[in-house]
Amino acid sequence: MPDGGALDCVVGDCVDGVLLDRRQKSVVARLSGHRDFSFACSFSPDGRLVATGSQDSSARVYDVRWPQQTLATLCGYMGAMRVVKFSGDGRFLLAAEPADYVHIYDTQTFGLAQDIAFMGETSGAAFSPDSNCLFVGISDALHGSGLAEFTSIDAHGIVDML
Protein backbone atom coordinates (compact mmCIF):
# COMPACT_ATOMS: atom_id res chain seq x y z
CA MET A 1 0.00 0.00 0.00
CA PRO A 2 1.26 3.50 -0.75
CA ASP A 3 2.91 5.69 1.88
CA GLY A 4 3.64 2.84 4.27
CA GLY A 5 -0.02 1.98 4.88
CA ALA A 6 -1.04 -1.00 6.89
CA LEU A 7 -2.66 -3.05 4.10
CA ASP A 8 -1.06 -5.57 1.79
CA CYS A 9 -2.73 -7.44 -1.05
CA VAL A 10 -1.82 -11.07 -1.73
CA VAL A 11 -2.82 -13.00 -4.86
CA GLY A 12 -1.66 -16.33 -6.22
CA ASP A 13 -2.84 -19.91 -6.51
CA CYS A 14 -6.36 -19.15 -5.35
CA VAL A 15 -9.39 -17.51 -6.95
CA ASP A 16 -9.64 -15.03 -4.06
CA GLY A 17 -7.16 -12.31 -3.24
CA VAL A 18 -6.56 -11.38 0.38
CA LEU A 19 -6.20 -8.01 2.08
CA LEU A 20 -3.89 -8.29 5.08
CA ASP A 21 -3.45 -5.84 7.93
CA ARG A 22 0.30 -5.72 8.49
CA ARG A 23 -0.03 -4.14 11.93
CA GLN A 24 -2.62 -6.58 13.28
CA LYS A 25 -1.09 -9.52 11.37
CA SER A 26 -4.56 -10.58 10.28
CA VAL A 27 -6.76 -11.05 7.23
CA VAL A 28 -9.00 -8.01 6.74
CA ALA A 29 -10.99 -9.30 3.78
CA ARG A 30 -11.12 -11.74 0.92
CA LEU A 31 -11.35 -10.22 -2.54
CA SER A 32 -13.76 -12.52 -4.33
CA GLY A 33 -15.24 -12.64 -7.81
CA HIS A 34 -12.51 -14.05 -10.04
CA ARG A 35 -13.14 -17.47 -11.56
CA ASP A 36 -9.47 -18.49 -11.80
CA PHE A 37 -6.13 -17.79 -10.11
CA SER A 38 -4.87 -14.22 -9.90
CA PHE A 39 -1.46 -12.94 -11.02
CA ALA A 40 -1.24 -9.29 -10.08
CA CYS A 41 -2.50 -6.62 -7.71
CA SER A 42 -1.98 -2.90 -7.33
CA PHE A 43 -3.13 -0.18 -4.94
CA SER A 44 -4.19 3.25 -6.17
CA PRO A 45 -1.85 6.05 -5.03
CA ASP A 46 -4.31 7.19 -2.35
CA GLY A 47 -4.69 3.61 -1.08
CA ARG A 48 -8.47 3.67 -1.47
CA LEU A 49 -8.65 1.18 -4.37
CA VAL A 50 -6.99 -2.14 -5.08
CA ALA A 51 -7.02 -3.88 -8.47
CA THR A 52 -6.40 -7.56 -9.15
CA GLY A 53 -5.61 -9.28 -12.45
CA SER A 54 -6.60 -12.89 -13.08
CA GLN A 55 -6.23 -15.90 -15.34
CA ASP A 56 -9.99 -15.54 -16.01
CA SER A 57 -9.21 -12.66 -18.44
CA SER A 58 -10.45 -9.97 -16.10
CA ALA A 59 -9.22 -7.31 -13.75
CA ARG A 60 -11.35 -6.41 -10.74
CA VAL A 61 -11.29 -3.23 -8.72
CA TYR A 62 -12.28 -3.06 -5.05
CA ASP A 63 -12.73 -0.18 -2.62
CA VAL A 64 -10.71 -1.21 0.44
CA ARG A 65 -13.38 0.28 2.72
CA TRP A 66 -15.99 -2.15 1.29
CA PRO A 67 -13.95 -5.02 -0.17
CA GLN A 68 -16.82 -7.54 -0.09
CA GLN A 69 -18.18 -6.13 -3.35
CA THR A 70 -16.40 -5.66 -6.67
CA LEU A 71 -16.45 -2.00 -7.69
CA ALA A 72 -15.65 -2.77 -11.36
CA THR A 73 -14.95 -5.81 -13.53
CA LEU A 74 -12.74 -5.06 -16.54
CA CYS A 75 -12.62 -7.77 -19.21
CA GLY A 76 -9.80 -8.57 -21.60
CA TYR A 77 -9.91 -10.01 -25.10
CA MET A 78 -7.60 -13.01 -25.27
CA GLY A 79 -5.91 -13.94 -22.04
CA ALA A 80 -5.08 -13.43 -18.42
CA MET A 81 -4.58 -9.98 -16.96
CA ARG A 82 -0.97 -10.39 -15.88
CA VAL A 83 -0.20 -6.77 -15.03
CA VAL A 84 -2.42 -4.21 -13.29
CA LYS A 85 -1.02 -0.78 -12.39
CA PHE A 86 -2.47 2.55 -11.39
CA SER A 87 -0.90 5.70 -12.78
CA GLY A 88 0.99 7.82 -10.25
CA ASP A 89 -1.72 10.48 -10.31
CA GLY A 90 -4.45 7.83 -9.88
CA ARG A 91 -6.36 8.88 -13.02
CA PHE A 92 -5.78 5.66 -14.95
CA LEU A 93 -5.49 1.92 -14.45
CA LEU A 94 -3.70 -0.26 -16.95
CA ALA A 95 -4.39 -3.94 -17.37
CA ALA A 96 -2.06 -5.92 -19.62
CA GLU A 97 -2.80 -9.26 -21.22
CA PRO A 98 0.05 -11.73 -21.82
CA ALA A 99 0.10 -10.83 -25.52
CA ASP A 100 -1.06 -8.16 -27.93
CA TYR A 101 -3.14 -5.88 -25.66
CA VAL A 102 -2.79 -3.27 -22.94
CA HIS A 103 -6.04 -1.69 -21.76
CA ILE A 104 -6.18 1.72 -20.08
CA TYR A 105 -9.19 2.59 -17.93
CA ASP A 106 -10.38 5.90 -16.51
CA THR A 107 -10.54 5.43 -12.72
CA GLN A 108 -13.45 7.85 -12.31
CA THR A 109 -15.84 5.72 -14.36
CA PHE A 110 -13.82 2.55 -15.08
CA GLY A 111 -14.81 3.01 -18.69
CA LEU A 112 -12.25 2.02 -21.28
CA ALA A 113 -10.12 5.05 -22.12
CA GLN A 114 -7.97 3.28 -24.72
CA ASP A 115 -6.80 -0.11 -26.00
CA ILE A 116 -3.24 -0.39 -27.19
CA ALA A 117 -2.73 -3.29 -29.59
CA PHE A 118 0.66 -4.61 -30.71
CA MET A 119 2.24 -7.85 -31.88
CA GLY A 120 4.08 -9.88 -29.28
CA GLU A 121 4.23 -11.14 -25.75
CA THR A 122 3.89 -8.61 -22.95
CA SER A 123 6.82 -8.80 -20.54
CA GLY A 124 5.64 -5.90 -18.39
CA ALA A 125 3.91 -2.54 -18.36
CA ALA A 126 4.06 0.55 -16.14
CA PHE A 127 3.39 4.26 -16.05
CA SER A 128 6.21 6.73 -15.49
CA PRO A 129 6.24 8.26 -11.97
CA ASP A 130 4.84 11.55 -13.32
CA SER A 131 2.06 9.64 -15.18
CA ASN A 132 2.99 11.24 -18.52
CA CYS A 133 4.34 8.10 -20.18
CA LEU A 134 3.42 4.45 -20.45
CA PHE A 135 6.05 1.78 -21.03
CA VAL A 136 5.30 -1.69 -22.39
CA GLY A 137 7.92 -4.41 -22.50
CA ILE A 138 7.55 -6.70 -25.49
CA SER A 139 9.34 -10.03 -25.65
CA ASP A 140 8.64 -12.09 -28.73
CA ALA A 141 10.92 -14.40 -30.69
CA LEU A 142 9.01 -13.90 -33.94
CA HIS A 143 8.48 -10.12 -33.82
CA GLY A 144 11.48 -9.06 -31.75
CA SER A 145 11.82 -7.67 -28.27
CA GLY A 146 11.97 -4.17 -26.94
CA LEU A 147 10.42 -1.42 -24.92
CA ALA A 148 7.58 0.63 -26.39
CA GLU A 149 7.16 4.11 -24.94
CA PHE A 150 3.84 5.87 -25.22
CA THR A 151 3.66 9.53 -24.33
CA SER A 152 1.28 12.50 -24.27
CA ILE A 153 -1.40 11.12 -22.00
CA ASP A 154 -4.09 13.76 -22.40
CA ALA A 155 -7.19 14.57 -20.36
CA HIS A 156 -9.06 11.74 -22.10
CA GLY A 157 -6.39 9.13 -21.42
CA ILE A 158 -5.25 8.97 -25.04
CA VAL A 159 -1.61 8.07 -25.49
CA ASP A 160 0.61 8.44 -28.53
CA MET A 161 3.53 6.20 -29.35
CA LEU A 162 6.87 7.96 -29.19
PDB file of all heavy atoms in Angstrom, residues 15-31:
ATOM      1  N   VAL A  15      -8.521 -18.424  -6.220  1.00  0.00           N
ATOM      2  CA  VAL A  15      -9.391 -17.506  -6.953  1.00  0.00           C
ATOM      3  C   VAL A  15      -9.611 -16.204  -6.190  1.00  0.00           C
ATOM      4  O   VAL A  15      -9.910 -15.180  -6.792  1.00  0.00           O
ATOM      5  CB  VAL A  15     -10.751 -18.149  -7.310  1.00  0.00           C
ATOM      6  CG1 VAL A  15     -10.555 -19.277  -8.300  1.00  0.00           C
ATOM      7  CG2 VAL A  15     -11.497 -18.602  -6.080  1.00  0.00           C
ATOM      8  N   ASP A  16      -9.474 -16.237  -4.872  1.00  0.00           N
ATOM      9  CA  ASP A  16      -9.639 -15.028  -4.063  1.00  0.00           C
ATOM     10  C   ASP A  16      -8.302 -14.382  -3.759  1.00  0.00           C
ATOM     11  O   ASP A  16      -7.317 -15.066  -3.491  1.00  0.00           O
ATOM     12  CB  ASP A  16     -10.306 -15.351  -2.720  1.00  0.00           C
ATOM     13  CG  ASP A  16     -11.751 -15.783  -2.863  1.00  0.00           C
ATOM     14  OD1 ASP A  16     -12.355 -15.493  -3.911  1.00  0.00           O
ATOM     15  OD2 ASP A  16     -12.271 -16.399  -1.926  1.00  0.00           O
ATOM     16  N   GLY A  17      -8.288 -13.047  -3.778  1.00  0.00           N
ATOM     17  CA  GLY A  17      -7.162 -12.305  -3.243  1.00  0.00           C
ATOM     18  C   GLY A  17      -7.428 -12.077  -1.763  1.00  0.00           C
ATOM     19  O   GLY A  17      -8.535 -12.298  -1.264  1.00  0.00           O
ATOM     20  N   VAL A  18      -6.419 -11.611  -1.051  1.00  0.00           N
ATOM     21  CA  VAL A  18      -6.563 -11.381   0.382  1.00  0.00           C
ATOM     22  C   VAL A  18      -5.979 -10.019   0.727  1.00  0.00           C
ATOM     23  O   VAL A  18      -4.886  -9.669   0.274  1.00  0.00           O
ATOM     24  CB  VAL A  18      -5.822 -12.477   1.194  1.00  0.00           C
ATOM     25  CG1 VAL A  18      -5.940 -12.217   2.683  1.00  0.00           C
ATOM     26  CG2 VAL A  18      -6.357 -13.857   0.859  1.00  0.00           C
ATOM     27  N   LEU A  19      -6.728  -9.241   1.501  1.00  0.00           N
ATOM     28  CA  LEU A  19      -6.204  -8.011   2.081  1.00  0.00           C
ATOM     29  C   LEU A  19      -5.729  -8.344   3.486  1.00  0.00           C
ATOM     30  O   LEU A  19      -6.489  -8.898   4.289  1.00  0.00           O
ATOM     31  CB  LEU A  19      -7.279  -6.927   2.159  1.00  0.00           C
ATOM     32  CG  LEU A  19      -7.614  -6.187   0.879  1.00  0.00           C
ATOM     33  CD1 LEU A  19      -8.686  -5.136   1.153  1.00  0.00           C
ATOM     34  CD2 LEU A  19      -6.394  -5.537   0.264  1.00  0.00           C
ATOM     35  N   LEU A  20      -4.480  -8.018   3.771  1.00  0.00           N
ATOM     36  CA  LEU A  20      -3.887  -8.294   5.078  1.00  0.00           C
ATOM     37  C   LEU A  20      -3.575  -6.991   5.790  1.00  0.00           C
ATOM     38  O   LEU A  20      -3.084  -6.043   5.178  1.00  0.00           O
ATOM     39  CB  LEU A  20      -2.587  -9.083   4.921  1.00  0.00           C
ATOM     40  CG  LEU A  20      -2.675 -10.435   4.227  1.00  0.00           C
ATOM     41  CD1 LEU A  20      -1.286 -11.000   4.000  1.00  0.00           C
ATOM     42  CD2 LEU A  20      -3.513 -11.389   5.050  1.00  0.00           C
ATOM     43  N   ASP A  21      -3.838  -6.960   7.088  1.00  0.00           N
ATOM     44  CA  ASP A  21      -3.445  -5.835   7.927  1.00  0.00           C
ATOM     45  C   ASP A  21      -2.085  -6.168   8.508  1.00  0.00           C
ATOM     46  O   ASP A  21      -1.955  -7.090   9.329  1.00  0.00           O
ATOM     47  CB  ASP A  21      -4.470  -5.601   9.035  1.00  0.00           C
ATOM     48  CG  ASP A  21      -4.161  -4.377   9.869  1.00  0.00           C
ATOM     49  OD1 ASP A  21      -2.965  -4.137  10.174  1.00  0.00           O
ATOM     50  OD2 ASP A  21      -5.105  -3.666  10.237  1.00  0.00           O
ATOM     51  N   ARG A  22      -1.078  -5.456   8.072  1.00  0.00           N
ATOM     52  CA  ARG A  22       0.296  -5.722   8.487  1.00  0.00           C
ATOM     53  C   ARG A  22       0.478  -5.477   9.986  1.00  0.00           C
ATOM     54  O   ARG A  22       1.236  -6.182  10.649  1.00  0.00           O
ATOM     55  CB  ARG A  22       1.230  -4.823   7.664  1.00  0.00           C
ATOM     56  CG  ARG A  22       2.677  -5.087   7.859  1.00  0.00           C
ATOM     57  CD  ARG A  22       3.558  -4.217   6.958  1.00  0.00           C
ATOM     58  NE  ARG A  22       3.035  -4.046   5.622  1.00  0.00           N
ATOM     59  CZ  ARG A  22       2.719  -2.862   5.094  1.00  0.00           C
ATOM     60  NH1 ARG A  22       2.864  -1.756   5.782  1.00  0.00           N
ATOM     61  NH2 ARG A  22       2.272  -2.779   3.862  1.00  0.00           N
ATOM     62  N   ARG A  23      -0.188  -4.474  10.516  1.00  0.00           N
ATOM     63  CA  ARG A  23      -0.033  -4.144  11.934  1.00  0.00           C
ATOM     64  C   ARG A  23      -0.682  -5.182  12.844  1.00  0.00           C
ATOM     65  O   ARG A  23      -0.127  -5.551  13.868  1.00  0.00           O
ATOM     66  CB  ARG A  23      -0.619  -2.763  12.224  1.00  0.00           C
ATOM     67  CG  ARG A  23       0.131  -1.655  11.528  1.00  0.00           C
ATOM     68  CD  ARG A  23      -0.493  -0.301  11.819  1.00  0.00           C
ATOM     69  NE  ARG A  23       0.127   0.712  10.993  1.00  0.00           N
ATOM     70  CZ  ARG A  23      -0.522   1.666  10.374  1.00  0.00           C
ATOM     71  NH1 ARG A  23      -1.835   1.768  10.477  1.00  0.00           N
ATOM     72  NH2 ARG A  23       0.124   2.547   9.641  1.00  0.00           N
ATOM     73  N   GLN A  24      -1.882  -5.609  12.476  1.00  0.00           N
ATOM     74  CA  GLN A  24      -2.618  -6.584  13.277  1.00  0.00           C
ATOM     75  C   GLN A  24      -2.227  -8.027  12.954  1.00  0.00           C
ATOM     76  O   GLN A  24      -2.628  -8.947  13.657  1.00  0.00           O
ATOM     77  CB  GLN A  24      -4.127  -6.422  13.064  1.00  0.00           C
ATOM     78  CG  GLN A  24      -4.668  -5.065  13.414  1.00  0.00           C
ATOM     79  CD  GLN A  24      -4.614  -4.806  14.903  1.00  0.00           C
ATOM     80  OE1 GLN A  24      -4.756  -5.711  15.712  1.00  0.00           O
ATOM     81  NE2 GLN A  24      -4.368  -3.558  15.268  1.00  0.00           N
ATOM     82  N   LYS A  25      -1.489  -8.186  11.847  1.00  0.00           N
ATOM     83  CA  LYS A  25      -1.093  -9.523  11.370  1.00  0.00           C
ATOM     84  C   LYS A  25      -2.323 -10.416  11.194  1.00  0.00           C
ATOM     85  O   LYS A  25      -2.380 -11.548  11.678  1.00  0.00           O
ATOM     86  CB  LYS A  25      -0.094 -10.164  12.321  1.00  0.00           C
ATOM     87  CG  LYS A  25       1.209  -9.410  12.399  1.00  0.00           C
ATOM     88  CD  LYS A  25       2.201 -10.115  13.284  1.00  0.00           C
ATOM     89  CE  LYS A  25       3.533  -9.490  13.165  1.00  0.00           C
ATOM     90  NZ  LYS A  25       3.976  -8.526  14.007  1.00  0.00           N
ATOM     91  N   SER A  26      -3.314  -9.841  10.465  1.00  0.00           N
ATOM     92  CA  SER A  26      -4.563 -10.577  10.278  1.00  0.00           C
ATOM     93  C   SER A  26      -5.152 -10.305   8.890  1.00  0.00           C
ATOM     94  O   SER A  26      -4.828  -9.319   8.244  1.00  0.00           O
ATOM     95  CB  SER A  26      -5.577 -10.177  11.351  1.00  0.00           C
ATOM     96  OG  SER A  26      -5.904  -8.804  11.225  1.00  0.00           O
ATOM     97  N   VAL A  27      -6.038 -11.210   8.484  1.00  0.00           N
ATOM     98  CA  VAL A  27      -6.764 -11.051   7.230  1.00  0.00           C
ATOM     99  C   VAL A  27      -7.900 -10.056   7.470  1.00  0.00           C
ATOM    100  O   VAL A  27      -8.701 -10.226   8.382  1.00  0.00           O
ATOM    101  CB  VAL A  27      -7.331 -12.400   6.746  1.00  0.00           C
ATOM    102  CG1 VAL A  27      -8.237 -12.207   5.543  1.00  0.00           C
ATOM    103  CG2 VAL A  27      -6.204 -13.365   6.416  1.00  0.00           C
ATOM    104  N   VAL A  28      -7.938  -9.021   6.653  1.00  0.00           N
ATOM    105  CA  VAL A  28      -8.997  -8.009   6.745  1.00  0.00           C
ATOM    106  C   VAL A  28     -10.193  -8.426   5.906  1.00  0.00           C
ATOM    107  O   VAL A  28     -11.338  -8.311   6.327  1.00  0.00           O
ATOM    108  CB  VAL A  28      -8.479  -6.632   6.268  1.00  0.00           C
ATOM    109  CG1 VAL A  28      -9.594  -5.618   6.183  1.00  0.00           C
ATOM    110  CG2 VAL A  28      -7.363  -6.147   7.164  1.00  0.00           C
ATOM    111  N   ALA A  29      -9.907  -8.922   4.679  1.00  0.00           N
ATOM    112  CA  ALA A  29     -10.993  -9.301   3.778  1.00  0.00           C
ATOM    113  C   ALA A  29     -10.476 -10.204   2.675  1.00  0.00           C
ATOM    114  O   ALA A  29      -9.298 -10.182   2.340  1.00  0.00           O
ATOM    115  CB  ALA A  29     -11.622  -8.053   3.163  1.00  0.00           C
ATOM    116  N   ARG A  30     -11.392 -10.960   2.124  1.00  0.00           N
ATOM    117  CA  ARG A  30     -11.120 -11.736   0.922  1.00  0.00           C
ATOM    118  C   ARG A  30     -11.696 -10.960  -0.259  1.00  0.00           C
ATOM    119  O   ARG A  30     -12.799 -10.436  -0.178  1.00  0.00           O
ATOM    120  CB  ARG A  30     -11.754 -13.111   1.006  1.00  0.00           C
ATOM    121  CG  ARG A  30     -11.139 -13.940   2.105  1.00  0.00           C
ATOM    122  CD  ARG A  30     -11.246 -15.430   1.805  1.00  0.00           C
ATOM    123  NE  ARG A  30     -10.515 -16.179   2.809  1.00  0.00           N
ATOM    124  CZ  ARG A  30      -9.228 -16.472   2.738  1.00  0.00           C
ATOM    125  NH1 ARG A  30      -8.522 -16.079   1.706  1.00  0.00           N
ATOM    126  NH2 ARG A  30      -8.631 -17.144   3.684  1.00  0.00           N
ATOM    127  N   LEU A  31     -10.926 -10.900  -1.323  1.00  0.00           N
ATOM    128  CA  LEU A  31     -11.351 -10.218  -2.545  1.00  0.00           C
ATOM    129  C   LEU A  31     -11.876 -11.280  -3.498  1.00  0.00           C
ATOM    130  O   LEU A  31     -11.105 -11.976  -4.146  1.00  0.00           O
ATOM    131  CB  LEU A  31     -10.179  -9.446  -3.159  1.00  0.00           C
ATOM    132  CG  LEU A  31      -9.499  -8.438  -2.232  1.00  0.00           C
ATOM    133  CD1 LEU A  31      -8.257  -7.861  -2.889  1.00  0.00           C
ATOM    134  CD2 LEU A  31     -10.470  -7.340  -1.827  1.00  0.00           C
TER     135      LEU A  31
END
